[in-house]
Amino acid sequence: MESRHATAPDQLAGMDTDQLRRRFLVEDLFAPGEVRLTYSHEDRIVVGGSDGATELPCPAELRSEFFLERRELGVVNIGGGPGSVTVDGDRYELAAREVLYVGRGAREVRFDGRFYLVSTPAHATHPTVRATLDDAEPVRLGSQDGSNDRTIYKYIHVKGIQSCQLVLGVTVLAPGSMWNTMPCHTHERRTEVYFYFGLPSTDRVVHLMGRPDATRNLIVAPEQAVISPSWSVHCGFGTRSYAFVWAMGGENQAYEDVEPVAIGDLR
């Protein structure tokens, strides 16, 4: 498991492109027959990918008997076909863009398919729950004129699947729309991770990050993730329409607890 240390806003000014990518961009999430994990010291979030028939490991860095001893887990099927997740002997079938929440205390988690994984620390136990697109709470935002017509599917949140602190959903941009999360915002009480997928391997997303008055950018390939500290904006535009998983962990689970940033205030 790779580790990423937390970063203060004033450190960004001295970082070149390679340093930004090493600190905030998770590039190699998937390898056949493996579960790859990255541990961020920003709110102790772990992100990862599983490709094929695999088992959730328990890296030594967690100092725990099993991975979910003190954690909870969100699993998203980002493959083109169905897959399954088996939790302590119970099998859950997941179609594309469907989600499984796995609560604290589950000892054995096995994957069969291509899944994106997000885990946060947990001090309470909630049931393992599968959710389809029909179960999610959809919110339509943006417009075709603004190139940001998108539907936000909320899966793990206070009015959906219950969790200790993990909040997770999938945003799907309409054909012809490329901008996400615009106007943008920051989360002073939560870290957020964006995982981009659903576009050809030759396309890219330009992800904006940093303080609103001093933004930087990362060029992100499909199936890569960006770690966004609480002080950083998180928005971007693609060379074509796409989808992304957004996941948060931190002080609270209030989806509306944000610090909005007007478009004209971005620098």
Side-chain angles (χ1 to χ4, degrees), residues 7-9 12 24 42 186-188 209-212 229-233:
T7 308
L12 254 67
F24 300 103
E42 305 282 357
T186 62
H187 296 289
E188 289 298 330
M209 61 161 297
R211 294 297 300 163
S230 60
W231 46 264
S232 174
V233 297

Side-chain angles (χ1 to χ4, degrees), residues 5-9 11-12 23-25 40-43 45 185-194 207-211 218 226-234 249 259:
H5 289 285
T7 308
Q11 292 180 272
L12 254 67
R23 186 63 61 93
F24 300 103
L25 182 64
S40 173
H41 286 261
E42 305 282 357
D43 283 304
I45 288 180
H185 55 262
T186 62
H187 296 289
E188 289 298 330
R189 283 152 292 281
R190 294 193 301 273
T191 297
E192 186 160 14
V193 181
Y194 274 21
H207 181 94
L208 301 182
M209 61 161 297
R211 294 297 300 163
L218 294 166
V226 180
I227 300 167
S228 180
S230 60
W231 46 264
S232 174
V233 297
H234 38 275
E259 282 68 44

Side-chain angles (χ1 to χ4, degrees), residues 159-190:
K159 296 181 181 179
I161 298 175
Q162 297 299 291
S163 68
C164 181
Q165 69 160 305
L166 180 63
V167 181
L168 181 149
V170 178
T171 295
V172 180
L173 276 73
S177 286
M178 283 77 75
W179 274 102
N180 71 68
T181 321
M182 183 58 71
C184 62
H185 55 262
T186 62
H187 296 289
E188 289 298 330
R189 283 152 292 281
R190 294 193 301 273

